[in-house]
């Protein structure tokens, strides 16, 4: 095997076509974060993006997109922004993983959402986790029956809130694949507010992530595109989502809602309507990503599997990286996979978010007096 390192933007038309061909040939690679379009977009915005082009006497056998950071620290393409990574290759391709790292000039490669079972990386998987999906291959009604079977009470409650929202706030209207950039701005503002309220880092405080989202929103080809959805009550937007899709799979990315309508559970109402619209649009699946919220267990009708692990070459950098990252990764996995711990951690983060918001309000108030938000209990 010959391994050549280039930037994704340097790939020619034939190489990009081969990437798409390999991706379509393996159902396990049917994820937009593994698409060449995403790699090229990341390359336009980040200097550390690279791709290993793997060839033999028969031509290109695979692509390995990655990020190369200082001291040879390797990260999956998109890092914390993405929910799937790995080799885009012929299914049986098995490389010496450490030789791959050497060719990529990496000392270590840490992964947490790798396509499980890839022969090159399988020996280094330390954990494999399920990622819940909404599967529409048997039709939307079959999926809805599965949701009802998962929890009849939840479905009944959400349908009641859906009717109540329409009755009290205006007739509901769902928009699939909105091209309006102002709708995207509304959604991202909600998401930024959610990050702050819940004690998380606001990803959209980083201009390059906003630019990436705008770029993905503008993409719309048969094999890849950004999908912006929005639920309206009357003319008022109440909940939405922005994600990426292949020809058959939509991946959850940025869901958010207007907290003024929180009593109606607009986020879940939106997800039910998004599922129906996705099925009508010909998509086979919505990948909701591993771990996190309990609603995923209720809405799921199947699972995919992603792996966590680490590959390293002997070096002081790899040793320091292990000390700094491994305990954190293990702790995160434990919390994400245990609902009771996740809820507890979520409450703590929300508490920090409230304290931080209060402090910011106090700093901004001319007399140091913080007013209680309208509608607060």
């Amino acid at each position: 095997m010959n391994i050549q390192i280039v930037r994704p933007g340097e790939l020619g038309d034939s190489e990009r076509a081969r990437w798409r061909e390999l991706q379509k040939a393996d159902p396990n690679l049917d994820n937009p974060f593994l698409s060449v379009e995403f790699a090229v977009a990341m390359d336009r915005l980040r200097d550390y993006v690279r791709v290993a082009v793997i060839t033999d006497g028969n031509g290109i056998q695979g692509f390995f997109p990655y990020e190369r950071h200082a001291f040879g620290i390797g990260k999956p393409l998109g890092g914390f922004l993405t929910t799937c990574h790995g080799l885009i290759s012929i299914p049986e391709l098995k490389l010496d993983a450490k030789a791959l790292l050497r060719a990529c000039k990496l000392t270590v490669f840490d992964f947490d959402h790798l396509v499980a079972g890839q022969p090159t990386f399988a020996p280094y998987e330390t954990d494999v986790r399920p990622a819940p999906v909404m599967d529409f291959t048997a039709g939307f009604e079959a999926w809805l029956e599965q949701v009802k079977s998962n929890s009849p009470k939840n479905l009944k409650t959400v349908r009641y809130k859906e009717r109540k929202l329409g009755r009290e706030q205006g007739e509901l209207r769902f928009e699939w694949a909105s091209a309006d950039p102002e709708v995207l701005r509304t959604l991202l503002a909600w998401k930024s507010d959610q990050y702050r309220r819940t004690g998380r880092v606001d990803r959209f405080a980083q201009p390059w992530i906003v630019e990436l989202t705008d770029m993905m929103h503008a993409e719309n080809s048969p094999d890849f595109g950004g999908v912006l959805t929005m639920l309206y009550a009357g003319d008022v937007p109440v909940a939405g989502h922005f994600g990426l899709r292949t020809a058959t799979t939509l991946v959850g990315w940025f869901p958010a809602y207007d907290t003024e309508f929180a009593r109606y559970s607009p986020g879940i109402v939106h997800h039910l309507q998004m599922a129906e619209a996705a099925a009508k649009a010909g998509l086979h699946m919505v990948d909701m990503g591993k771990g996190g919220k309990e609603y995923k267990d209720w809405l799921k009708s199947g699972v995919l599997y992603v792996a966590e692990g680490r590959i390293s070459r002997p070096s002081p950098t790899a040793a320091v990286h292990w000390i700094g990252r491994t305990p954190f990764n293990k702790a995160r996995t434990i919390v994400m996979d245990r609902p009771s711990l996740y809820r507890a951690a979520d409450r703590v983060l929300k508490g920090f978010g409230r304290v931080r918001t209060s402090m910011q309000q106090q700093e901004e108030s001319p007399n140091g007096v913080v007013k209680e938000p309208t509608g607060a209990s």
Side-chain angles (χ1 to χ4, degrees), residues 317-338:
T317 298
V320 170
H321 181 267
W322 183 89
I323 292 171
R325 290 294 299 170
T326 299
F328 168 78
N329 288 341
K330 287 295 182 184
R332 179 182 60 186
T333 297
I334 290 170
V335 170
M336 292 291 282
D337 288 343
R338 288 164 175 77

Side-chain angles (χ1 to χ4, degrees), residues 4-13 15-16 19 35-44 46-53 63-67 77:
Q4 181 184 10
I5 308 303
V6 299
R7 298 189 64 152
E10 297 171 346
L11 296 173
D13 290 342
E15 293 164 316
R16 297 185 189 195
W19 185 315
S35 296
V36 66
E37 290 86 355
F38 183 73
V40 170
M42 283 292 299
D43 182 32
R44 288 175 59 184
R46 303 281 88 184
D47 289 336
Y48 45 66
V49 174
R50 299 290 185 274
V51 59
V53 183
F63 299 88
F64 175 57
Y66 64 96
E67 298 178 2
L77 181 65

Side-chain angles (χ1 to χ4, degrees), residues 156-170 197 231 233 236 238-239 257-269 374-376:
K156 183 178 181 179
T157 299
V158 172
R159 288 305 195 197
Y160 167 76
K161 290 185 176 183
E162 182 179 47
R163 293 190 297 271
K164 185 177 176 67
L165 174 60
R167 185 170 61 250
E168 296 181 354
Q169 301 297 333
R197 280 187 291 106
L231 176 66
V236 179
V238 296
Y257 61 87
D258 186 340
T259 55
E260 289 294 321
F261 301 92
R263 63 188 180 278
Y264 300 106
S265 300
I268 299 298
V269 172
T374 302

Side-chain angles (χ1 to χ4, degrees), residues 63-123:
F63 299 88
F64 175 57
Y66 64 96
E67 298 178 2
R68 185 181 186 274
H69 294 264
F71 307 108
I73 301 297
K75 296 182 181 180
L77 181 65
F80 63 89
L81 281 176
T82 64
T83 58
C84 188
H85 40 260
L87 270 170
I88 297 88
S89 70
I90 57 175
E92 67 273 16
L93 182 65
K94 184 175 183 179
L95 303 173
D96 179 327
K98 293 189 178 182
L100 176 62
L101 261 62
R102 189 180 306 113
C104 296
K105 297 182 180 180
L106 301 178
T107 56
V108 62
F109 182 70
D110 219 359
F111 54 88
D112 58 4
H113 287 82
L114 191 90
V115 177
Q118 292 195 325
T120 297
F121 299 114

Side-chain angles (χ1 to χ4, degrees), residues 175 177-186 214 217 228 230 232:
E175 185 176 15
S178 170
D180 189 342
E182 289 306 312
V183 175
L184 182 62
R185 296 276 80 77
T186 296
D214 287 338
H217 184 218
L228 174 61
M230 185 62 73
Y232 294 84

Side-chain angles (χ1 to χ4, degrees), residues 66-337:
Y66 64 96
E67 298 178 2
R68 185 181 186 274
H69 294 264
F71 307 108
I73 301 297
K75 296 182 181 180
L77 181 65
F80 63 89
L81 281 176
T82 64
T83 58
C84 188
H85 40 260
L87 270 170
I88 297 88
S89 70
I90 57 175
E92 67 273 16
L93 182 65
K94 184 175 183 179
L95 303 173
D96 179 327
K98 293 189 178 182
L100 176 62
L101 261 62
R102 189 180 306 113
C104 296
K105 297 182 180 180
L106 301 178
T107 56
V108 62
F109 182 70
D110 219 359
F111 54 88
D112 58 4
H113 287 82
L114 191 90
V115 177
Q118 292 195 325
T120 297
F121 299 114
Y124 300 92
E125 294 177 357
T126 57
D127 215 346
V128 176
R129 299 287 169 175
V133 300
M134 304 183 215
D135 187 343
F136 312 125
T137 51
F140 173 75
E141 292 302 327
W143 170 79
L144 195 60
E145 282 301 313
Q146 179 63 57
V147 171
K148 185 176 180 180
S149 175
N150 292 344
S151 178
K153 183 178 179 180
N154 277 339
L155 182 59
K156 183 178 181 179
T157 299
V158 172
R159 288 305 195 197
Y160 167 76
K161 290 185 176 183
E162 182 179 47
R163 293 190 297 271
K164 185 177 176 67
L165 174 60
R167 185 170 61 250
E168 296 181 354
Q169 301 297 333
E171 184 178 357
L172 299 187
R173 174 173 60 89
F174 186 85
E175 185 176 15
W176 170 264
S178 170
D180 189 342
E182 289 306 312
V183 175
L184 182 62
R185 296 276 80 77
T186 296
L187 178 70
L188 299 192
W190 291 342
K191 197 66 182 178
S192 288
D193 178 65
Q194 178 190 342
Y195 286 140
R196 292 190 293 268
R197 280 187 291 106
T198 56
R200 273 79 169 180
V201 174
D202 180 7
R203 295 177 179 180
F204 299 110
Q206 300 186 53
W208 77 267
I209 296 180
V210 176
E211 188 173 355
L212 174 66
T213 308
D214 287 338
M215 290 168 61
M216 295 295 90
H217 184 218
E219 289 277 355
N220 185 25
S221 70
D223 295 326
F224 181 88
V227 179
L228 174 61
T229 57
M230 185 62 73
L231 176 66
Y232 294 84
D235 295 324
V236 179
V238 296
H241 172 265
F242 180 69
L244 302 182
R245 61 153 183 84
T246 62
T248 55
T249 295
L250 173 67
V251 171
W253 206 7
F254 298 120
Y257 61 87
D258 186 340
T259 55
E260 289 294 321
F261 301 92
R263 63 188 180 278
Y264 300 106
S265 300
I268 299 298
V269 172
H270 166 274
H271 263 56
L272 285 177
Q273 296 211 12
M274 182 177 72
E276 184 172 10
K280 286 181 179 178
L283 296 178
H284 298 170
M285 183 182 300
V286 174
D287 182 344
M288 295 183 284
K290 73 169 184 176
K293 301 295 186 179
E294 291 182 20
Y295 76 83
K296 295 180 182 181
D297 281 335
W298 170 51
L299 294 178
K300 75 178 182 182
S301 57
V303 296
L304 301 174
Y305 290 94
V306 292
E308 302 174 7
R310 183 177 184 272
I311 311 166
S312 65
R313 297 164 52 214
S315 71
T317 298
V320 170
H321 181 267
W322 183 89
I323 292 171
R325 290 294 299 170
T326 299
F328 168 78
N329 288 341
K330 287 295 182 184
R332 179 182 60 186
T333 297
I334 290 170
V335 170
M336 292 291 282
D337 288 343

